[in-house]
């Protein structure tokens, strides 16, 4: 898994030959190692090849995929509805609905871009963009020389007019 130029560390590594599995948590590695020991619980339903590390997962699997809740329930009846606005897809199994719900992209942070040609900085929301424009791209006219200066640089510019431009001499490059 990759995020913003770095990898999530997976320090718990399976030491079984030819197995390259690694995990972020020790309990996940422990569960994985049970597979190598052959202690798997098989689904008791005929023609179902699913195997599970925990007995409780077999029970859940049987309840969700193989059992009919009531005699009146048809085998193909779909009863789990996605509540996402504008979707309304219907699923036969709760687990399928849950997997589907993960496919709906949630765009909470809205990305905003500064439209100034030389800037083009990215911001997480409009408020941050507005604060940036207010501080960096608001221009004021210097009352002494008439040039336009950015609001954040106006004080520094006004110092160049103090005492006959002496401050300019102080910062002059000598290379």
């Amino acid at each position: 898994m990759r995020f913003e130029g770095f990898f999530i560390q997976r320090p718990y590594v399976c030491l079984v030959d030819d197995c390259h599995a690694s995990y972020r948590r020790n309990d996940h590695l422990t569960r994985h190692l049970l597979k190598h020991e052959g202690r798997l619980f098989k689904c008791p339903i005929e023609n179902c090849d699913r195997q599970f590390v925990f007995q409780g997962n077999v029970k859940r699997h049987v309840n969700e995929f193989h059992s009919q809740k009531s005699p009146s329930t048809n085998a193909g009846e779909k009863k789990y509805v996605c509540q996402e606005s504008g979707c309304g897809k219907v699923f036969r199994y709760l687990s399928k609905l849950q997997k589907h719900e993960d496919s709906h992209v949630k765009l909470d942070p809205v990305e905003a871009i500064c439209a100034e040609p030389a800037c083009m900085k990215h911001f997480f929301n409009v408020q941050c963009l507005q604060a940036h424009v207010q501080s960096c791209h608001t221009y004021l006219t210097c009352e002494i020389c008439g040039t336009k200066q950015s609001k954040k640089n106006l004080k520094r510019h006004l110092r160049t007019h103090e005492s006959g431009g002496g401050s300019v001499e102080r910062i002059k490059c000598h290379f």
Side-chain angles (χ1 to χ4, degrees):
M1 201 177 281
R2 190 154 199 237
F3 294 102
E4 300 291 328
F6 67 89
F7 289 96
I8 294 177
Q9 291 184 346
R10 295 177 173 265
Y12 300 98
V13 179
C14 179
L15 300 175
V16 175
D17 290 339
D18 295 328
C19 183
H20 305 288
S22 63
Y23 300 91
R24 289 183 286 155
R25 292 175 35 180
N26 189 31
D27 59 319
H28 292 173
L29 174 62
T30 303
R31 183 184 318 149
H32 167 79
L33 290 173
L34 291 173
K35 292 179 183 178
H36 293 298
E37 294 176 11
R39 290 175 39 199
L40 294 175
F41 298 96
K42 296 179 180 182
C43 177
I45 304 300
E46 190 177 347
N47 297 327
C48 183
D49 298 329
R50 295 291 308 266
Q51 297 179 346
F52 300 90
V53 176
F54 297 110
Q55 181 67 39
N57 290 351
V58 174
K59 290 178 183 176
R60 179 184 49 79
H61 167 76
V62 169
N63 286 337
E64 285 188 13
F65 290 97
H66 301 296
S67 72
Q68 294 183 359
K69 303 293 184 217
S70 67
S72 64
T73 305
N74 294 332
E77 184 178 335
K78 295 180 177 182
K79 54 188 171 194
Y80 297 101
V81 181
C82 178
Q83 300 300 313
E84 184 73 24
S85 176
C87 183
K89 281 191 174 182
V90 183
F91 297 88
R92 181 176 175 189
Y93 304 110
L94 178 61
S95 60
K96 297 289 186 184
L97 170 64
Q98 290 168 338
K99 185 174 182 178
H100 164 77
E101 286 174 336
D102 291 341
S103 72
H104 287 290
V105 179
K106 307 285 189 248
L107 297 175
D108 290 336
V110 176
E111 190 171 305
I113 302 172
C114 180
E116 286 288 323
C119 185
M120 300 300 288
K121 288 185 179 178
H122 292 256
F123 299 91
F124 287 109
N125 56 46
V126 176
Q127 291 81 11
C128 292
L129 171 62
Q130 289 172 342
H132 163 75
V133 169
Q134 182 74 25
S135 66
C136 297
H137 301 300
T138 303
Y139 295 95
L140 301 172
T141 304
C142 174
E143 294 178 3
I144 299 170
C145 66
T147 61
K148 289 192 174 209
Q149 301 292 326
S150 66
K151 186 177 178 181
K152 70 177 190 175
N153 291 334
L154 184 61
K155 285 185 183 179
R156 181 173 45 185
H157 171 76
L158 289 174
R159 279 191 233 119
T160 63
H161 296 299
E162 292 176 358
S163 63
S167 62
V168 174
E169 284 297 317
R170 264 187 309 173
I171 60 170
K172 185 176 179 182
C173 179
H174 297 290
F175 289 101

